[in-house]
């Protein structure tokens, strides 16, 4: 069939319109997605802690933020309950047994630190190890620190090692060969480490009554201005043994202990070994 404008048009019957199908079936969705959206971040964290097994032993220390916090820690294992019919149904543990509550006031400090491990030091073993592989003169100050014990039960420095004004003459530039510690006359003087007593007697250069202990491999300690002796030459002593009693003999202006540390015959600062 031809139209007035010269165009041809099919004379076949008009086709039946296509019926549009409306698909109402929803795509599969995660049934827990909406529930997760409604839960806040804190609740999600606590639920994860419960499911992963760390909820029972994790302390939640948010008190430092200024909040008063009460947390119920859920159990991680299910509890089985039996009804009248004899069937077994898992139920929440919180519905059966009351859970402990962890509470903290605002500003509270909660300490989760582990117990300190205390070990017994072996200073004599340390000193022996140092001197067995090298001369005392080769030991560094960092390594020697703490290897000698205190020559008195309580140490209080009266005059340090090094140059000072002489308490005898009053002149400057006097070199003090040891460390003076406050000690009333008659105070027990202790061996700084294990060793052998090599001298007990009078020191003619101002030390008065003097004891010298050899600790091996070039290390010696001396104890001066003593009032009396408790050891003899050749005697073996241990750390902390009483060697003598303090006094004010020799070039001294009062009761005290003059303590020296000698390395290969030369005096060094005692504080580098104590």
């Amino acid at each position: 069939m031809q139209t007035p404008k010269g165009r041809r048009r099919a004379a076949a019957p008009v086709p039946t319109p296509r019926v549009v199908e409306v698909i109402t079936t929803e795509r599969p969705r995660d049934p827990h997605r909406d529930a997760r959206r409604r839960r806040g971040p804190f609740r999600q964290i606590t639920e994860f802690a419960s499911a992963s097994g760390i909820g029972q032993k994790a302390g939640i220390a948010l008190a430092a933020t200024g909040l008063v916090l009460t947390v119920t820690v859920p159990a991680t294992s299910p509890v089985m309950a039996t009804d009248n019919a004899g069937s077994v149904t898992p139920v929440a543990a919180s519905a059966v047994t009351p859970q402990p509550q962890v509470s903290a006031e605002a500003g509270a400090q909660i300490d989760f630190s582990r117990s300190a491990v205390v070990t017994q030091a072996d200073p004599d073993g340390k000193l022996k190890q140092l001197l067995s592989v090298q001369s005392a003169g080769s030991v560094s100050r960092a390594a020697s620190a703490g290897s000698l014990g205190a020559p008195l039960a309580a140490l209080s420095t009266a005059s340090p090692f090094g140059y000072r004004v002489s308490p005898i003459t009053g002149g400057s530039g006097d070199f003090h060969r040891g460390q003076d510690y406050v000690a009333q006359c008659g105070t027990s003087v202790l061996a700084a480490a294990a060793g052998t007593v090599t001298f007990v007697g009078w020191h003619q250069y101002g030390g008065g009554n003097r004891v010298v202990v050899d600790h091996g491999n070039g290390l010696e300690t001396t104890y001066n201005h003593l009032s009396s002796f408790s050891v003899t030459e050749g005697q073996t002593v241990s750390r902390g043994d009483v060697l003598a009693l303090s006094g004010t003999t020799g070039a001294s202006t009062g009761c005290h202990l003059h303590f020296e540390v000698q390395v290969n015959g030369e005096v060094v600062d005692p504080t580098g070994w104590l």
Side-chain angles (χ1 to χ4, degrees):
M1 178 178 177
Q2 188 171 359
T3 63
K5 293 185 178 181
R7 296 179 181 177
R8 297 182 65 85
R9 183 173 59 185
V14 178
T16 303
R18 181 181 299 176
V19 178
V20 179
E21 296 181 1
V22 179
I23 300 174
T24 60
T25 304
E26 295 183 358
R27 291 179 300 174
R29 301 177 62 181
D30 183 357
H32 304 292
R33 183 178 63 178
D34 293 337
R36 287 199 304 270
R37 288 180 176 176
R38 289 193 296 269
R39 295 197 302 266
F42 179 76
R43 183 177 175 186
Q44 294 183 31
I45 291 173
T46 56
E47 290 183 358
F48 170 77
S50 173
S52 61
I54 64 175
Q56 291 180 332
K57 57 185 177 181
I60 303 176
L62 295 180
T65 63
L67 301 177
V68 177
L69 177 66
T70 300
V71 179
T72 301
V73 181
T76 59
S77 58
V79 177
M80 308 305 290
T82 305
D83 58 15
N84 295 333
S87 60
V88 179
T89 305
V91 297
S94 58
V96 178
T97 305
Q99 298 298 302
Q101 291 186 342
V102 181
S103 302
E105 297 295 334
Q109 294 183 354
I110 304 176
D111 185 12
F112 294 98
S113 60
R114 300 168 64 183
S115 300
V117 178
V118 180
T119 58
Q120 191 90 24
D122 182 16
D124 273 316
K126 174 185 176 181
L127 182 62
K128 183 178 181 180
Q129 183 179 14
L130 283 175
L131 299 180
S132 64
V133 297
Q134 59 187 323
S135 168
S138 303
V139 179
S140 66
R141 186 181 179 93
S144 64
S147 58
L148 290 180
L152 295 170
L155 295 183
S156 178
T157 300
S159 182
F161 174 85
Y163 288 97
R164 64 175 183 175
V165 174
S166 173
I168 304 297
T169 65
S172 59
D174 175 59
F175 183 73
H176 190 211
R177 294 174 54 87
Q179 190 96 350
D180 284 351
Y181 293 108
V182 176
Q184 296 295 324
C185 286
T187 302
S188 295
V189 177
L190 312 176
T196 302
V197 178
T198 57
F199 179 83
V200 175
W202 183 262
H203 184 243
Q204 59 181 341
Y205 299 108
N209 289 330
R210 175 184 177 100
V211 171
V212 179
V213 178
D214 183 6
H215 305 288
N217 215 356
L219 180 66
E220 294 178 309
T221 53
T222 78
Y223 311 80
N224 304 267
H225 307 310
L226 307 173
S227 60
S228 63
F229 306 113
S230 302
V231 292
T232 59
E233 289 186 17
Q235 181 177 337
T236 299
V237 295
S238 300
R239 181 183 301 254
D241 285 352
V242 177
L243 302 176
L245 299 180
S246 62
T248 184
T249 57
S252 171
T253 59
C255 293
H256 70 285
L257 173 66
H258 175 87
F259 175 69
E260 294 180 1
V261 175
Q262 296 186 1
V263 173
N264 296 326
E266 299 293 333
V267 292
V268 297
D269 187 352
T271 59
W273 289 81
L274 293 174

